[in-house]
Amino acid sequence: MKFNVADLIDQLNTDTPVEPATLAKTLKLTNKADKQSLELALDALVRLQIIERNADSGLLRVDQEDLIEARLRCSSKGFCFAIRDDGGDDIYIRDHQLNHAWNGDRVLVRVTRDGGRRRSPEGGVQCILERATTSLLGQVERQDDQLVAVPLDDRVLATIQLPTGDEQYVQSDPVASVVEVELDRYPVAQCPAEGHVARQLPLNGGQAADRDLLLTKAGLHNPAPQPRASAKVPPAKGRTDLTDQPCLLLRSWSGSDAPSLPAVHVLPHAGGARVWIHAPAVAERLGAGSAVDQWLKDRGEALCLGQSWQPLLSNALVKACALKPGVTSDAVSVRLDIDADGEITEWEFMLSSIRPAAEINANQLEALANRKPKSRTVPAALKGIKDQLPQLETLQFCARSLQERDHRHGMIQLDLGLPQLEELGDLIWTDPTGRRQRWCDAINPVDPQSWLQPLLRAANRAWTHHATAFKLPGLTITTAEPDPSTLNDVAKTAIALELPLELDDEGSPTALELVTAFQEAPQRRVLEQQLSQALLEPTIEAINASLADATSDDEPSDEIGTADVVQGLAPWCCATLHATDLVNQQVLVALLQDGKDRPSVRQKERVNLGQKGAEEQLSWGLFSASVSEKLQTLTSERLCQRLNTRHRQAQDLHRDLIAMVQARFAEPLLNTEIEGCISGVQSYGFFVEIPPSQVEGLVHVSSLNDDWYEYRSRQNRLVGRKSRRVYQLGDLVTVRVTKVDALRNQIDLDVIHQPQHDVEQASDGEESSPLPVTVSVH
């Protein structure tokens, strides 16, 4: 079908009936088969009482408060939860209430049992809105005289029936290859899912084969073809000529197909710095709502595959938007005045023309970092940017000030860089947008994009203030606070390691307090790894402001502008990387190009709409009715859901790519003894991080056959019942690699040597139970 239930329901509301013919036209259904599919779907939704037909056959959505839209998350053990978009409690779904929904599907859930203090609410799936899986990786087996594909993802709790023609894919050696199975029919009633083998994929075919395997696993291997359209030429009128400004391109990525990044220019100013950030002008080169615009928003974001990229932009847009040294380009720019404390005191947004002076790479920053103070000689790597060295020093001062400011305002900064493995390609460098991690990256002195990240965050913060003041629509990146109980567990682990941290009766420490306590700890890396698991993924949310009332007579809301730095930022600088930035850049360009800067053409004095505080000078409508309507269509809840889904896919892909490279490095270590550090302790065993790839392997508790080990959850350690031998976070142990499964990222280890402190000390607050004795009475 050319539509799903979510697309269909989005076109209906509870007030105004919609005719089926209008619905078919909106969904662009032209042939008879698609229209018949629409009628079948409508009839099914009417039977489920999700929609209704009025007397004139118009369609209305039924307003049911007990139906909750959510995303299904399943585990390999059969436990399934519906994750709500509104932040409410997760809903437990029993297997007989799934109604053939699979992991990742968007569903409508009806709550059947309210939750309690220690129990999640329960419910059942009433309708599947959107399927997350169209193809999957699996292995072909014969079960009860039936040919089936068993999914490698054990969260998909089903098998797929295959035609007899796929018999050739039954493997005698299951570790040699897997197959991609395309679904022809999802399970219905008593009928199982059906599919066919699309192709066979080798498990040991080299780096390119590994990338293809993981793209297929993530469902990102078949991107939609590019629409046939050329990039528009931005208008020259109204642009600020900044071609004489020696701005710099900070770039660590070396891939030829890596996205273009903003240029920056920094000068000392009033004890702080004046910074210009020039973003590639993507929004001006395409029409909002056009086929290219929709294609970009469906793609969501550019994908770094290590040695190569899957770009966000079309080939025409990549060529048109690229910023290169010595080449005049159009940009969307902001000027920021930043004081010595990293606070933004003034800003101005503008459309500009720029000509970058130079590109700064990692080799140059390494030479700069190793250069002796007051040295008169210039290293060979720096001779090409000799004139830009003072600007680089000012830029680094400014970036540090902004980073420290963000830390004071609650930004969580962790130093968990990836291992410097050549096979990771561009993944080893800092993501300048900060979207790849759930935290702020520590500044890496030799990584240009690490210096760029706090500058872009400041530019996004300025636009968030500006857009909020004008009541403009847009998309924000919001991060919820970590679960206090999870933070409490991390704190207990730190206390067990004798870190200077105290728990009081008022609640658990904040994530920021934990980061501060970890700074000087020998176990800093493993503790920060534990803390990183408690940090929640950011989500994209829509702001649908009322543009008609955006005048100076209204008190502008500053809710987003004064919010914590990790919450509610509206990014716009990297439209070459993220569709979220593209949407916000479209709004920014509309403000500068279509915003009314004077009440009438007779008025000669204009208001600079890009300048801080410009909203206070307005006493007239900012946009015409047509422009207002156009801007309101840029954002929707469904768009946010799709962008969030795409981002989750990209994050899973990045994690799998890194894990695959690390596991490949562990394969030659099979049956080898190597020293590692305990990075996590659970009741079923402990994880050990193995250098140099930093891959984690599991020592299962069943392999510790020298004693019976108890799990002490408060101290996050395993303790031998008889020997009192302890395995805890941060211990160095010698292990033997016994098994490596690169596809599933499963490394099995056996312990060879014990940690240095064998015996549990009494200082942990627990007393050992005395051994029983026999007393004879005479």
Side-chain angles (χ1 to χ4, degrees):
M1 291 193 302
K2 293 183 179 180
F3 66 94
N4 54 46
V5 177
D7 295 330
L8 192 158
I9 292 179
D10 275 349
Q11 308 304 321
L12 304 178
N13 55 59
T14 58
D15 303 317
T16 308
V18 177
E19 296 296 325
T22 304
L23 190 59
K25 185 177 180 180
T26 304
L27 296 174
K28 299 179 181 179
L29 307 179
T30 54
N31 61 51
K32 185 177 180 180
D34 289 337
K35 292 180 179 179
Q36 287 178 341
S37 297
L38 176 62
E39 285 298 326
L40 285 173
L42 293 175
D43 288 343
L45 292 174
V46 169
R47 290 173 181 268
L48 291 172
Q49 298 180 354
I50 295 172
I51 66 174
E52 63 182 8
R53 298 181 188 266
N54 64 8
D56 299 325
S57 297
L59 301 167
L60 290 167
R61 183 171 181 175
V62 178
D63 187 10
Q64 298 189 58
E65 294 183 358
D66 61 338
L67 278 182
I68 299 169
E69 188 169 335
R71 176 175 57 88
L72 202 63
R73 184 179 66 195
C74 299
S75 72
S76 58
K77 298 182 179 180
F79 299 109
C80 296
F81 288 87
I83 312 302
R84 299 172 59 164
D85 293 327
D86 58 7
D89 292 337
D90 297 345
I91 304 169
Y92 177 57
I93 312 292
R94 297 183 182 273
D95 54 359
H96 66 279
Q97 295 280 8
L98 283 172
N99 289 328
H100 297 306
W102 288 354
N103 180 61
D105 290 349
R106 295 204 67 82
V107 294
L108 281 179
V109 175
R110 177 171 277 114
V111 175
T112 57
R113 181 178 178 181
D114 293 332
R117 290 185 60 186
R118 298 179 180 272
R119 186 185 69 245
S120 297
E122 295 185 19
V125 174
Q126 300 299 298
C127 177
I128 300 172
L129 297 174
E130 187 173 14
R131 287 285 189 177
T133 305
T134 57
S135 69
L136 48 80
L137 293 178
Q139 292 179 326
V140 180
E141 298 179 2
R142 180 165 291 282
Q143 296 180 358
D144 300 328
D145 297 328
Q146 176 62 52
L147 201 63
V148 298
V150 179
L152 286 186
D153 187 349
D154 50 13
R155 296 172 300 175
V156 178
L157 310 174
T159 57
I160 294 88
Q161 203 169 80
L162 301 176
T164 55
D166 287 340
E167 179 82 35
Q168 58 180 312
Y169 296 107
V170 177
Q171 292 288 325
S172 58
D173 182 8
V175 300
S177 65
V178 295
V179 296
E180 178 194 356
V181 178
E182 291 184 353
L183 291 165
D184 300 321
R185 186 190 71 189
Y186 293 100
V188 178
Q190 302 301 317
C191 302
E194 291 184 355
H196 66 278
V197 175
R199 56 178 177 153
Q200 195 167 22
L201 297 166
L203 292 180
N204 296 291
Q207 291 184 34
D210 284 350
R211 286 195 298 269
D212 188 22
L213 194 68
L214 296 179
L215 280 168
T216 305
K217 177 183 176 183
L220 299 170
H221 59 299
N222 283 326
Q226 300 179 11
R228 294 183 178 180
S230 57
K232 293 182 178 181
V233 178
K237 184 179 179 181
R239 308 198 83 84
T240 302
D241 187 356
L242 297 175
T243 53
D244 292 336
Q245 183 189 90
C247 57
L248 303 176
L249 295 169
L250 303 180
R251 183 181 176 90
S252 312
W253 293 329
S254 59
S256 58
D257 51 356
S260 184
L261 294 173
V264 298
H265 179 65
V266 186
L267 288 175
H269 176 75
R274 174 164 285 179
V275 183
W276 283 266
I277 297 174
H278 309 294
V282 181
E284 293 182 87
R285 301 181 187 276
L286 54 91
S290 65
V292 177
D293 184 38
Q294 187 58 50
W295 178 76
L296 292 174
K297 290 168 184 174
D298 288 341
R299 288 173 71 83
E301 59 187 86
L303 300 176
C304 180
L305 307 178
Q307 304 286 359
S308 63
W309 284 77
Q310 192 179 98
L312 168 67
L313 304 184
S314 63
N315 295 334
L317 284 171
V318 167
K319 184 177 180 181
C321 297
L323 302 183
K324 299 179 180 178
V327 178
T328 301
S329 303
D330 296 312
V332 183
S333 304
V334 62
R335 173 184 58 79
L336 304 174
D337 289 351
I338 299 170
D339 64 20
D341 294 327
E343 298 293 344
I344 304 173
T345 59
E346 189 67 42
W347 65 73
E348 180 184 358
F349 292 92
M350 66 195 80
L351 303 177
S352 66
S353 297
I354 64 169
R355 186 186 294 118
E359 181 173 292
I360 309 300
N361 58 42
N363 292 333
Q364 292 166 334
L365 286 190
E366 185 175 7
L368 182 62
N370 295 331
R371 185 186 183 190
K372 295 181 180 179
K374 299 181 181 181
S375 175
R376 295 184 179 182
T377 60
V378 178
L382 298 177
K383 287 184 178 179
I385 59 169
K386 180 180 178 181
D387 295 338
Q388 308 305 330
L389 294 182
Q391 184 183 176
L392 267 181
E393 292 175 355
T394 305
L395 185 150
Q396 291 175 337
F397 163 79
C398 181
R400 287 193 186 96
S401 298
L402 290 168
Q403 189 89 326
E404 291 170 2
R405 180 265 174 204
D406 290 344
H407 184 69
R408 291 195 304 271
H409 284 257
M411 175 68 75
I412 304 303
Q413 176 180 304
L414 303 180
D415 190 6
L416 293 174
L418 293 175
Q420 299 298 296
L421 304 177
E422 183 180 352
E423 287 75 8
L424 287 175
D426 284 341
L427 283 170
I428 66 174
W429 302 112
T430 300
D431 175 11
T433 69
R435 297 283 306 280
R436 195 184 296 164
Q437 309 289 6
R438 300 183 298 275
W439 56 87
C440 164
D441 294 291
I443 289 181
N444 180 353
V446 300
D447 182 354
Q449 291 169 188
S450 181
W451 295 105
L452 181 61
Q453 189 185 88
L455 301 178
L456 298 187
R457 199 159 49 238
N460 292 337
R461 189 163 66 249
W463 172 245
T464 306
H465 276 271
H466 205 68
T468 303
F470 276 108
K471 298 184 178 179
L472 297 175
L475 300 178
T476 64
I477 308 297
T478 303
T479 304
E481 292 294 330
D483 181 15
S485 62
T486 307
L487 293 179
N488 212 35
D489 291 339
V490 178
K492 290 175 182 177
T493 300
I495 291 173
L497 295 174
E498 300 182 354
L499 265 64
L501 187 69
E502 295 182 1
L503 297 180
D504 52 38
D505 296 334
E506 297 180 0
S508 63
T510 65
L512 188 60
E513 290 172 338
L514 290 173
V515 171
T516 304
F518 298 164
Q519 289 293 322
E520 304 300 328
Q523 306 92 346
R524 175 180 175 180
R525 176 175 173 81
V526 291
L527 285 169
E528 287 191 347
Q529 284 178 324
Q530 297 290 312
L531 178 59
S532 70
Q533 301 304 315
L535 303 179
L536 303 178
E537 290 282 358
T539 57
I540 301 167
E541 297 181 0
I543 300 175
N544 295 307
S546 176
L547 297 175
D549 299 329
T551 68
S552 62
D553 296 333
D554 300 308
E555 186 68 26
S557 170
D558 198 34
E559 179 182 351
I560 298 176
T562 58
D564 188 276
V565 71
V566 297
Q567 295 182 346
L569 283 182
W572 64 275
C573 299
C574 294
T576 56
L577 274 165
H578 294 280
T580 308
D581 295 57
L582 173 59
V583 171
N584 290 326
Q585 192 180 107
Q586 287 173 323
V587 178
L588 170 52
V589 169
L591 173 67
L592 299 177
Q593 286 185 342
D594 302 323
K596 295 180 181 180
D597 56 4
R598 50 182 175 170
S600 67
V601 293
R602 298 187 183 90
Q603 180 73 31
K604 293 184 179 181
E605 187 175 351
R606 299 171 182 263
V607 174
N608 185 347
L609 296 178
Q611 199 165 33
K612 179 183 178 182
E615 76 285 349
E616 298 175 358
Q617 304 176 52
L618 292 186
S619 57
W620 57 87
L622 182 58
F623 295 112
S624 65
S626 60
V627 173
S628 296
E629 183 179 356
K630 183 179 178 181
L631 289 177
Q632 294 290 4
T633 62
L634 291 177
T635 61
S636 68
E637 290 301 323
R638 188 64 61 192
L639 172 63
C640 292
Q641 291 168 2
R642 289 179 176 172
L643 292 178
N644 282 321
T645 298
R646 179 73 173 194
H647 185 63
R648 280 191 296 270
Q649 289 177 303
Q651 293 297 86
D652 289 343
L653 175 63
H654 287 151
R655 282 190 283 266
D656 286 345
L657 282 166
I658 294 166
M660 177 75 85
V661 170
Q662 291 176 314
R664 293 299 188 196
F665 264 78
E667 286 177 333
L669 300 176
L670 199 62
N671 297 320
T672 301
E673 296 181 11
I674 189 170
E675 187 178 63
C677 177
I678 296 180
S679 57
V681 183
Q682 299 292 335
S683 59
Y684 50 83
F686 56 87
F687 293 91
V688 179
E689 188 178 80
I690 304 172
S693 66
Q694 296 176 359
V695 66
E696 284 189 333
L698 174 66
V699 177
H700 199 273
V701 70
S702 61
S703 69
L704 302 175
N705 50 21
D706 63 321
D707 202 345
W708 180 272
Y709 284 86
E710 298 176 347
Y711 176 55
R712 305 284 178 85
S713 59
R714 290 184 61 85
Q715 290 83 24
N716 202 10
R717 59 176 59 165
L718 288 173
V719 180
R721 180 176 293 180
K722 294 181 179 179
S723 64
R724 317 306 294 171
R725 185 171 289 120
V726 177
Y727 293 100
Q728 70 178 14
L729 207 67
D731 283 343
L732 295 178
V733 292
T734 301
V735 294
R736 179 187 292 115
V737 181
T738 59
K739 179 182 177 183
V740 178
D741 187 335
L743 182 60
R744 293 181 175 86
N745 187 32
Q746 293 178 354
I747 314 260
D748 292 345
L749 307 172
D750 281 344
V751 168
I752 302 301
H753 299 296
Q754 309 301 340
Q756 293 180 355
H757 54 283
D758 304 274
V759 182
E760 182 185 44
Q761 302 297 321
S763 59
D764 63 6
E766 296 186 22
E767 297 182 359
S768 302
S769 301
L771 295 174
V773 294
T774 303
V775 179
S776 299
V777 179
H778 297 283

